Amino acid sequence: MWKNNKGLTLIEVMVSMVILFIFFWGINAGGLIVLDENIKNEQRDEAVSIAEETMLRMRNTPYVDLAPKYNNVTDNVFRRVRGKDRSYSIRRTVDVKGDLTELGVIVTWNRNDGRVGNRSRQYNHVLNTIVRR
């Protein structure tokens, strides 16, 4: 049967193109999900970096200056993630308990979650430590 054919019919070509289209459409959707998760992870990594830098500054502050300087202080910083400026809110807390003092850093950021109707979702990263007088 194939010996007499000199090429493929139009229907065979169109069926193969539809199959390829469905295959590449699936790969494209998967690629977009991977890209979205990578951006989400990069934003989280930046928040962790901000929290660690803030905690390091707090730990290097003299003990007597901790509570007056950092207790319930909130700042905003901007960091560039994937070519776009992202806003992060940093909240610092100092809780004195006798000879021990608990230092806290909460980094908060918003992210548009495209899978939930482009609604903004808030994420937090919390970092705590204890210092001794």
Side-chain angles (χ1 to χ4, degrees):
M1 177 175 158
W2 286 93
K3 290 181 181 179
N4 295 337
N5 288 343
K6 295 184 180 185
L8 299 173
T9 66
L10 182 61
I11 292 176
E12 291 170 332
V13 170
M14 290 187 64
V15 167
S16 64
M17 288 178 65
V18 166
I19 292 170
L20 282 173
F21 175 75
I22 292 170
F23 175 75
F24 286 120
W25 190 18
I27 287 177
N28 186 33
L32 291 176
I33 290 171
V34 168
L35 178 65
D36 186 54
E37 289 299 316
N38 283 342
I39 293 170
K40 187 169 150 182
N41 289 337
E42 286 183 32
Q43 286 180 299
R44 186 200 64 230
D45 290 346
E46 194 62 40
V48 169
S49 175
I50 291 169
E52 288 174 351
E53 290 170 9
T54 304
M55 185 61 74
L56 185 61
R57 264 186 261 119
M58 289 175 71
R59 288 184 61 91
N60 288 331
T61 301
Y63 188 83
V64 294
D65 295 337
L66 279 173
K69 189 171 183 179
Y70 292 118
N71 197 19
N72 289 321
V73 174
T74 303
D75 291 323
N76 290 317
V77 296
F78 291 92
R79 296 286 176 95
R80 189 165 283 280
V81 178
R82 292 251 177 156
K84 185 174 180 185
D85 285 333
R86 310 282 179 172
S87 174
Y88 293 89
S89 174
I90 307 167
R91 184 169 162 251
R92 300 169 191 93
T93 59
V94 178
D95 187 14
V96 179
K97 299 176 183 176
D99 279 350
L100 300 178
T101 300
E102 181 180 353
L103 306 177
V105 175
I106 303 168
V107 179
T108 305
W109 70 99
N110 293 320
R111 183 176 186 285
N112 290 336
D113 194 353
R115 290 174 285 175
V116 190
N118 272 342
R119 286 182 284 172
S120 182
R121 183 170 174 196
Q122 189 175 57
Y123 293 89
N124 297 311
H125 178 72
V126 179
L127 186 60
N128 290 313
T129 190
I130 295 175
V131 294
R132 190 176 295 235
R133 185 184 303 228

